[in-house]
Amino acid sequence: MFDSAARPDREAAGTLAADAPHRRRAYIRHSVFKERLMAEEKKGFMSRLFGRKKEHDPQEPKVEETSRPDETSPQVAEDLSPDLGRGAEREVHSATVEEDTEAGEATFLHEVKEEEGGLADETEDTPPKKPEAPAEQEPAPKKKGFFGRLTEGLSRTSSKLASGVTDIFTKRKLDEETLEEFEDLLISADLGLGPTERVIDRLRKERVGQDVTDEEVKTILADVVSETLEPLEKPLTINPGHAPHIVLVVGVNGAGKTTTIGKLASKYVADGHSVLLAAGDTFRAAAIEQLAVWGERAGVPVVTKAHGADAAGLAYEAIEQAREEKRDVVLIDTAGRLQNRSELMDELGKIVRVIRKLAPDAPHDTLLVLDATVGQNAISQAQAFTEIAGVTGLVMTKLDGTARGGILVALGDKFALPIHYIGIGEGIEDLRPFKAQDFAKALTAEV
Ligand SMILES: Nc1nc2c(ncn2[C@@H]2O[C@H](COP(=O)(O)OP(=O)(O)OP(=O)(O)O)[C@@H](O)[C@H]2O)c(=O)[nH]1
């Protein structure tokens, strides 16, 4: 699979090479910045850690699904997504996390909280949003075009970048100090060391000693983001010749796997494919029901087994059924698992081995679903899932719920994995095929 070694020209994100002192300086500056913010934000962090209920901000997106009681009204759940019964399984998720913490492992939760505290820009003080039900009496929201929705979805990330750029570049001659400030901004926006370095190098080469406007800087930034991600823009195409094309969907708890499968099922049906879903998340009882609702909505059958059943066996049976029914594609859901839980990761390896007994070249695609709100932790998730499950492509969800959307650039740079789709909201139309230029433009847009 892809790893940093596959990109020898680029240093792996998070690694400080001895021959890159300026990068090391930037990271040290960034660490100091993080520590200071963490101290300032400690109160918020602690209260979150101990589950203090916060005031609800209806503008904020829902981002802490796995640890928060379900406040969604049944009406909302029905209207917006078949996200059923998450309250019950959330208990399981938080128990898992606590177990990890008690064991003293470097847990996913711990890492994420640290990073959130350090960057202090989102889930810290921004409680999850209840999805807003399109209430019957309310006027229908004005339809936005593709780019409008993308720009709106990425607005939290882009406004952080845009205001930073405007603060730093206010009609002054470009010097090393300004470049350093800008480098800090890009690193704190999770863009990764490689892309950050390329933006800085380009600015240094082209503009040092000259006046530079914030618009010119944003254009250079958009160009570098676009160049980094364009080679990874690849739609997920179904090859009916595989009879069926088998897609395994993996990721940590709450990343958006089941929802993504539901949305993909609808898209493939609309494209004329015959689809079968496999509810392989047997660990989370409500996930089975959730997928069944998505299946019903898309008009496709869902293979299910009882809660706790063997997921590998279920995947096997689903493939057999898809062959009998001559389906084009099988989408297999899996239970969310923390990347540092080796026994759960081994179970994923077992699912792959069992699938290969029936179809040695399968899974034909293994999609890693990553939640953008976790920021840098997405890097270690991609690393672990790539090693265990042979990830072949990415879907990044919840770009609408974070100021850390820059992480997609760092991921693309480090892993060079195709980016198939991005999620910019909870509706079916919010799962978009990834387009690097649009993403780069939206990321640097003024909103
Ligand atoms: N705002 C927003 N929410 C999303 C997006 N994608 C998924 N979600 C929401 O994220 C929540 C979790 O999604 P699921 O599909 O249940 O996640 P999962 O990975 O299957 O979860 P587990 O089964 O626990 O592993 C749901 O409430 C989804 O509606 C997105 O792009 N934006």
Side-chain angles (χ1 to χ4, degrees):
M1 273 303 105
F2 295 98
D3 57 21
S4 54
R7 306 284 293 261
D9 54 325
R10 294 174 188 177
E11 189 182 351
T15 307
L16 301 178
D19 63 352
H22 66 283
R23 273 189 248 165
R24 209 165 40 242
R25 273 202 317 278
Y27 245 73
I28 291 165
R29 282 198 307 280
H30 185 54
S31 307
V32 172
F33 173 66
K34 278 178 83 170
E35 274 170 26
R36 204 179 60 230
L37 284 173
M38 281 175 80
E40 282 168 9
E41 303 271 331
K42 202 170 170 195
K43 193 167 157 247
F45 171 70
M46 294 307 282
S47 56
R48 199 175 35 167
L49 194 61
F50 293 108
R52 179 172 63 83
K53 199 164 165 30
K54 294 188 178 188
E55 296 243 323
H56 176 69
D57 176 354
Q59 293 308 309
E60 293 305 321
K62 180 163 67 173
V63 288
E64 287 189 45
E65 265 304 313
T66 56
S67 59
R68 189 168 280 272
D70 198 344
E71 295 166 350
T72 310
S73 73
Q75 164 80 36
V76 170
E78 215 174 59
D79 283 347
L80 284 181
S81 95
D83 176 26
L84 303 176
R86 291 192 63 83
E89 84 278 358
R90 252 182 228 116
E91 281 171 27
V92 178
H93 288 177
S94 37
T96 313
V97 167
E98 270 164 31
E99 213 180 293
D100 286 343
T101 312
E102 277 163 20
E105 293 174 26
T107 65
F108 165 63
L109 180 75
H110 182 66
E111 286 173 42
V112 173
K113 299 298 181 198
E114 259 188 8
E115 281 164 14
E116 285 167 3
L119 292 168
D121 56 15
E122 45 206 80
T123 48
E124 175 70 20
D125 286 316
T126 54
K129 177 182 96 173
K130 283 185 209 169
E132 281 154 28
E136 275 167 35
Q137 64 274 35
E138 280 175 20
K142 227 176 127 194
K143 279 245 173 216
K144 282 206 165 69
F146 177 92
F147 189 70
R149 296 268 313 134
L150 181 64
T151 310
E152 185 182 85
L154 281 169
S155 61
R156 293 190 67 197
T157 304
S158 63
S159 55
K160 177 179 171 169
L161 273 170
S163 62
V165 168
T166 307
D167 287 350
I168 296 169
F169 299 91
T170 37
K171 273 265 173 207
R172 62 185 192 189
K173 285 212 182 337
L174 186 64
D175 56 17
E176 281 301 323
E177 197 191 326
T178 314
L179 282 177
E180 261 188 23
E181 271 179 64
F182 188 40
E183 191 175 23
D184 286 350
L185 174 73
L186 298 181
I187 287 172
S188 75
D190 294 296
L191 257 79
L193 289 173
T196 296
E197 196 178 46
R198 291 197 290 282
V199 173
I200 299 297
D201 284 351
R202 197 172 294 184
L203 265 170
R204 184 181 283 121
K205 218 179 274 164
E206 294 176 12
R207 308 307 298 252
V208 158
Q210 301 173 40
D211 282 342
V212 63
T213 65
D214 51 355
E215 278 315 309
E216 288 168 323
V217 171
K218 279 191 242 163
T219 303
I220 288 178
L221 175 58
D223 286 349
V224 170
V225 168
S226 187
E227 285 160 22
T228 304
L229 299 181
E230 226 154 23
L232 314 177
E233 182 186 299
K234 189 172 165 249
L236 183 66
T237 45
I238 299 306
N239 180 351
H242 285 136
H245 189 101
I246 298 166
V247 182
L248 185 68
V249 181
V250 301
V252 304
N253 314 62
K257 297 177 294 298
T258 308
T259 315
T260 298
I261 289 176
K263 293 171 181 175
L264 285 177
S266 294
K267 282 182 195 292
Y268 293 143
V269 167
D271 289 348
H273 290 300
S274 68
V275 181
L276 182 80
L277 303 182
D281 184 354
T282 53
F283 179 73
R284 181 162 81 84
I288 300 168
E289 202 182 339
Q290 190 184 341
L291 198 69
V293 175
W294 276 110
E296 205 172 297
R297 201 175 259 194
V300 303
V302 182
V303 177
T304 60
K305 275 194 168 190
H307 176 218
D310 177 39
L314 182 133
Y316 189 94
E317 286 172 27
I319 294 166
E320 280 189 319
Q321 182 173 329
R323 282 186 175 168
E324 277 163 26
E325 295 174 359
K326 303 207 179 321
R327 305 256 163 204
D328 296 334
V329 54
V330 185
L331 300 169
I332 304 172
D333 197 6
T334 60
R337 60 203 74 226
L338 302 175
Q339 73 271 31
N340 58 349
R341 291 287 301 265
S342 58
E343 77 283 12
L344 293 177
M345 294 301 276
D346 289 348
E347 189 203 67
L348 202 53
K350 181 183 162 195
I351 295 174
V352 173
R353 284 196 303 280
V354 169
I355 289 174
R356 285 186 180 149
K357 285 187 182 167
L358 274 178
D361 59 342
H364 304 107
D365 281 289
T366 300
L367 294 190
L368 173 61
V369 179
L370 293 167
D371 169 347
T373 63
V374 306
Q376 288 296 320
N377 192 273
I379 301 277
S380 73
Q381 291 177 23
Q383 189 81 53
F385 280 96
T386 300
E387 280 163 17
I388 300 290
V391 171
T392 58
L394 303 179
V395 174
M396 176 153 271
T397 61
K398 307 188 198 180
L399 278 162
D400 54 308
T402 183
R404 311 179 77 171
I407 192 63
L408 191 56
V409 186
L411 278 164
D413 187 61
K414 181 166 164 59
F415 296 97
L417 282 165
I419 303 166
H420 299 304
Y421 286 95
I422 54 172
I424 52 167
E426 291 183 280
I428 288 188
E429 73 290 353
D430 293 324
L431 187 71
R432 304 277 174 151
F434 177 70
K435 300 263 180 281
Q437 266 193 22
D438 288 345
F439 179 81
K441 243 164 77 183
L443 197 73
T444 52
E446 205 76 67
V447 260

